Amino acid sequence: MTLRIAVQSKGRLFEETMELLQESGIKLNNKKRTLLVPATDFPIEILFLRDDDIPQAVATGVADIGIVGENEFVEKNEKASIVKRLGFSKCRLSLAIPKDEKYEGNKWFNNKKIATSYPHILKQYLESNNLNAEIHVITGSVEISPSIGLADAIFDIVSSGGTLVSNRLTEVEVVMKSEALLISNSELDEEKKNVLNELLFRIEAIQAAQNKKYIVLNAPEDKVQDIFDVLPGMRSPTVTPLATTGWCSVQSVVDEKRFWEIISKLKALGAEGILVLPIEKMIL
């Protein structure tokens, strides 16, 4: 039984999705990409679509699962289930106005015209904030709308903010944050669910290793308990006696965000020969 996964055909989300699938051990059958490409060693096939077509494809069963931006999933409002948040391709949907405009709150948008490719999400925001604005639906270069007199403001995806700056726009309201989602058709049979569960297992092993470092160090035995307090690891650090009397080797996993803080504490406790290794995958 083959599981069909819909994937964006180009762009940053495409690149990060293909990287995730590759790290999950999924290899495609041919180097020349066509609309539908089977994997060689895993019961899955990749269906390449436009990002805004993926929610409907999954909801109607054209694809069994899909990886899509949360912004498109919410905008299309299709009946598909969120299986997992994937944590990459992060961006936000924001309202932006011309740089020279004075802004003192979202009441500014009353009686204004807003250009967007996300009318459903924008309509919900306006209604929830009791705002009365005209929505002008546009595809393509939304950010140029104010400069050519097509709209007073825009509602669009923002990543770095560079595009807004280059068009003399200022981001004034973040309406929602978005990331890549793994979504599923609600009527998968048991065989396809088993394939999906295996895929999830692989993805979770990759995610568990992200922003983690594996460290090995030598330490005095009388400092082991103090080192335990610094290195909690997944459950507890691994300790191995060394040939040198009174010394042992300690192994653990640390969060990269606290790496230098932890290393400083270890050195203060007498740790030596600290070896730091990247982690590719981690099975919890």
Side-chain angles (χ1 to χ4, degrees):
M1 178 65 69
T2 300
L3 189 74
R4 180 177 293 175
I5 176 171
V7 168
Q8 185 171 317
S9 58
K10 61 182 180 179
R12 182 165 65 104
L13 181 54
F14 160 75
E15 293 171 358
E16 293 180 315
T17 297
M18 298 311 294
E19 182 180 347
L20 175 66
L21 294 177
Q22 184 177 15
E23 289 179 358
S24 300
I26 297 171
K27 300 175 183 177
L28 300 186
N29 196 28
N30 60 348
K31 293 183 179 179
K32 184 178 179 181
R33 200 181 79 201
T34 56
L35 180 65
L36 189 64
V37 181
T40 57
D41 53 357
F42 193 77
I44 198 169
E45 57 185 8
I46 313 296
L47 175 65
F48 293 102
L49 296 174
R50 284 168 47 98
D51 56 349
D52 53 355
D53 289 333
I54 293 175
Q56 184 181 45
V58 174
T60 58
V62 172
D64 300 307
I65 61 174
I67 294 179
V68 66
E70 187 173 0
N71 53 306
E72 291 294 345
F73 180 70
V74 174
E75 175 62 28
K76 297 306 178 184
N77 195 29
E78 295 283 353
K79 292 184 179 179
S81 304
I82 298 176
V83 178
K84 189 170 185 62
R85 292 181 173 274
L86 297 174
F88 58 80
S89 289
K90 291 186 176 182
C91 62
R92 55 195 183 273
L93 280 174
S94 296
L95 285 157
I97 66 174
K99 183 178 180 181
D100 297 332
E101 289 283 341
K102 183 179 180 181
Y103 186 79
E104 296 180 343
N106 62 13
K107 298 301 181 186
W108 184 93
F109 294 100
N110 273 324
N111 303 314
K112 297 293 197 301
K113 183 185 289 187
I114 307 172
T116 186
S117 299
Y118 299 92
H120 174 71
I121 298 173
L122 178 56
K123 182 181 178 183
Q124 287 186 322
Y125 172 81
L126 295 174
E127 289 177 350
S128 65
N129 286 273
N130 297 315
L131 298 174
N132 180 28
E134 180 183 346
I135 298 174
H136 184 78
V137 181
I138 187 172
T139 57
S141 303
V142 175
E143 64 276 358
I144 69 170
S145 299
S147 64
I148 62 175
L150 192 61
D152 301 300
I154 70 165
F155 176 62
D156 202 18
I157 290 176
V158 179
S159 294
S160 65
T163 302
L164 294 182
V165 172
S166 63
N167 284 278
R168 296 186 56 80
L169 297 171
T170 300
E171 183 181 8
V172 292
E173 298 285 342
V174 177
V175 174
M176 71 169 283
K177 294 183 178 180
S178 174
E179 64 181 283
L181 302 176
L182 177 61
I183 62 174
S184 171
N185 181 273
S186 58
E187 298 182 0
L188 294 186
D189 60 33
E190 286 304 313
E191 288 187 72
K192 289 186 176 181
K193 285 180 181 178
N194 289 337
V195 178
L196 174 56
N197 287 336
E198 173 61 26
L199 177 61
L200 282 171
F201 169 75
R202 297 185 183 195
I203 291 174
E204 287 167 359
I206 295 166
Q207 289 183 327
Q210 290 174 348
N211 302 315
K212 297 288 193 303
K213 296 293 183 183
Y214 186 76
I215 64 171
V216 182
L217 58 92
N218 296 333
E221 288 182 347
D222 61 357
K223 295 293 185 179
V224 167
Q225 188 55 56
D226 293 332
I227 287 173
F228 276 12
D229 294 337
V230 175
L231 288 176
M234 289 177 286
R235 286 194 174 87
S236 64
T238 300
V239 180
T240 306
L242 295 178
T244 303
T245 302
W247 283 78
C248 60
S249 173
V250 179
Q251 305 168 45
S252 189
V253 175
V254 300
D255 193 319
E256 193 168 25
K257 290 180 180 179
R258 297 188 58 214
F259 175 76
W260 291 110
E261 171 196 346
I262 289 172
I263 292 299
S264 295
K265 290 180 179 179
L266 293 174
K267 287 177 63 65
L269 290 169
E272 298 179 356
I274 302 173
L275 180 64
V276 183
L277 301 169
I279 301 174
E280 183 177 332
K281 297 174 183 67
M282 190 162 68
I283 313 301
L284 299 177

